[in-house]
Amino acid sequence: LSNKTPNTSVFDFSPIPFCFVGARGVGKTSLLASMYEQIKNKKIENFFFDTDTEAGINTQTRLHEAKELMLEMIEDTELHGLVKAGLGIKGSTDIRYYEIAGEKTEPDPTFFKLTAFKKFRYKFGFTDLPGEYFTGEIQERQKAQEVLQNSLVSFLAVDTPALMDSKHKQTRNNKVDYIENMYKQTEWTNQHTVIIVLSRCEKYWN
């Protein structure tokens, strides 16, 4: 409980942690950018998203740029050809943290006044892990495992064309052995949910 007035109770929650897992260039940032657009534009009764904070502005700017690059990649014939050949857009090289904040208002049943209500302020923290952190130096792998361990949900992005092509490409492009071992070696103190997302399907655009 952060503060309280005669007619209002305001509850602030710690950021709910999410992370994105996958080899370099499989589309983790593009996935987050797409998710952000859906979340931001979704109309939820008595709920609004706060993009005025410094973290909110930073998230909005960087993910908008990622979305525009993703659309350019799909629509630009030359760039699409580069990506299809395994070239073109490269993945992130550093850990990036994004935050989405929101507020929900509900009537407070403990008050009889019509103006009494509760405000719940939520924060959703998304950590975008570079693909090299799963296969790199021990310090990078330890950092990736720490982020994974502290996350409530992880989104595992999978290069779909490699998955469908051959076991060799699947193992190589999606770094299957490294990522599988990291999940196996991680000990969660709380329940953890893994959402597997099939990505890079734009390679089949034509």
Side-chain angles (χ1 to χ4, degrees), residues 58-72:
N58 179 58
T59 294
Q60 183 170 248
T61 301
R62 295 173 77 172
L63 292 183
H64 177 73
E65 291 173 353
K67 185 199 76 169
E68 292 299 311
L69 184 60
M70 176 177 61
L71 293 177
E72 181 184 355

Side-chain angles (χ1 to χ4, degrees), residues 75-83:
E75 295 169 0
D76 187 293
T77 305
E78 182 178 351
L79 183 56
H80 172 76
L82 290 173
V83 174

Side-chain angles (χ1 to χ4, degrees), residues 101-178:
E103 187 175 281
K104 183 174 179 59
T105 303
E106 294 181 356
D108 190 339
T110 61
F111 285 85
F112 293 103
K113 298 179 181 178
L114 294 176
T115 55
F117 60 91
K118 293 180 179 179
K119 281 186 178 179
F120 297 91
R121 291 176 179 164
Y122 299 93
K123 290 181 182 177
F124 305 89
F126 297 87
T127 302
D128 189 0
L129 288 163
E132 287 89 343
Y133 273 58
F134 301 100
T135 61
E137 300 293 331
I138 187 169
Q139 295 91 342
E140 294 176 332
R141 285 186 277 120
Q142 287 176 342
K143 181 61 180 176
Q145 191 162 20
E146 178 186 336
V147 171
L148 183 60
Q149 184 174 15
N150 293 327
S151 297
L152 182 68
V153 176
S154 60
F155 293 88
L156 174 58
V158 176
D159 184 329
T160 311
L163 175 66
M164 297 175 66
D165 192 299
S166 67
K167 184 176 181 180
H168 172 69
K169 278 193 175 181
Q170 151 73 346
T171 302
R172 182 191 66 192
N173 290 21
N174 286 310
K175 306 300 181 189
V176 173
D177 295 337
Y178 292 97

